[in-house]
Amino acid sequence: MTLGWRHCALAALLGVITTLGFPPYDCYPLSLLGVMGLAALWHDARPKQAALLGLIFGWGHYLSGMYWVFISTYGFGGAPLWMGLLLTFLLATYTGLHLALAGWLATRWRMRSAAAWALLQLPAAWLLAELLRDWHPIWSLPWLSMGYAFTDTPLASLAPLLGVHGMSWVAVVLSAALYLLWRGTRAARMAALGVTVSYTHLRAHETRHDL
């Protein structure tokens, strides 16, 4: 595809929308919607384009989610304005690079099947990039990992089994399923429907067990 400013602006907006799923907003369906939109942008992008879109998405997501870094350094720490802005931007860029990596991995060796790409390759790329960011021995920075948006949602029941990164993976799978239901072929939509029905069945089973 031809990457234009509208794609970049949309990626940034989707990043901001994704932040609204995290505390204190806690509107987790918006996080699913944001990642679904990013999947749509990545689907038609070449690897370098997907990496750039991932970084821009990360700027929107992390700048809107890490605003408190600026408040801490400038408002309470007494740092100069330029230093507070620069530090916040650098942190957002560093954390956003893992989404650039996820986009590159998701499109570099693209699976031919749209369903396999969306439900397997994309979530795996996201998970790998998030693990590399959060488990780095020196530069670990686990802020705003996707799973944290779902700690008070139906996905929370998976936390003891999968941890926050496993919840991130499940959230991206569900977002990808929504994307396929929106724009996928008939076969891809059937696969996505199977994912959503399986999750709904699991939730219903857990609800009956709790009662």
Side-chain angles (χ1 to χ4, degrees):
M1 75 177 185
T2 301
L3 187 63
W5 68 268
R6 290 183 178 85
H7 299 93
C8 297
L10 179 58
L13 177 60
L14 290 170
V16 174
I17 290 174
T18 301
T19 302
L20 297 177
F22 290 77
Y25 314 105
D26 294 319
C27 190
Y28 73 91
L30 290 180
S31 289
L32 296 177
L33 180 63
V35 177
M36 181 192 78
L38 181 62
L41 290 175
W42 278 351
H43 183 265
D44 299 321
R46 294 188 292 271
K48 290 183 179 180
Q49 293 174 333
L52 178 59
L53 290 169
L55 177 60
I56 295 173
F57 177 94
W59 279 336
H61 180 36
Y62 294 114
L63 285 174
S64 61
M66 293 182 179
Y67 63 90
W68 55 268
V69 174
F70 173 75
I71 296 175
S72 299
T73 55
Y74 174 68
F76 295 99
L81 175 63
W82 67 268
M83 184 177 294
L85 292 173
L86 179 61
L87 179 60
T88 305
F89 177 75
L90 290 177
L91 286 175
T93 300
Y94 173 72
T95 49
L97 285 174
H98 92 278
L99 292 176
L101 175 61
W104 187 84
L105 290 174
T107 54
R108 179 62 181 86
W109 298 281
R110 191 191 304 270
M111 292 182 171
R112 292 186 177 181
S113 167
W117 176 80
L119 299 175
L120 297 176
Q121 185 175 356
L122 191 156
W126 188 293
L127 177 62
L128 177 60
E130 193 171 276
L131 288 173
L132 289 174
R133 186 198 70 173
D134 294 358
W135 288 1
H136 194 284
I138 299 176
W139 304 107
S140 176
L141 194 61
W143 298 339
L144 294 178
S145 293
M146 185 57 60
Y148 289 126
F150 300 90
T151 53
D152 293 321
T153 73
L155 288 181
S157 60
L158 300 175
L161 298 175
L162 303 178
V164 66
H165 297 298
M167 292 173 64
S168 295
W169 176 79
V170 173
V172 175
V173 170
L174 291 176
S175 297
L178 292 175
Y179 162 71
L180 290 176
L181 290 173
W182 171 40
R183 291 189 59 186
T185 62
R186 182 177 180 180
R189 287 174 177 171
M190 292 300 295
L193 185 61
V195 170
T196 54
V197 169
S198 298
Y199 174 72
T200 303
H201 177 75
L202 175 63
R203 285 298 306 150
H205 175 75
E206 291 177 347
T207 302
R208 290 195 300 269
H209 179 74
D210 292 340
L211 295 176

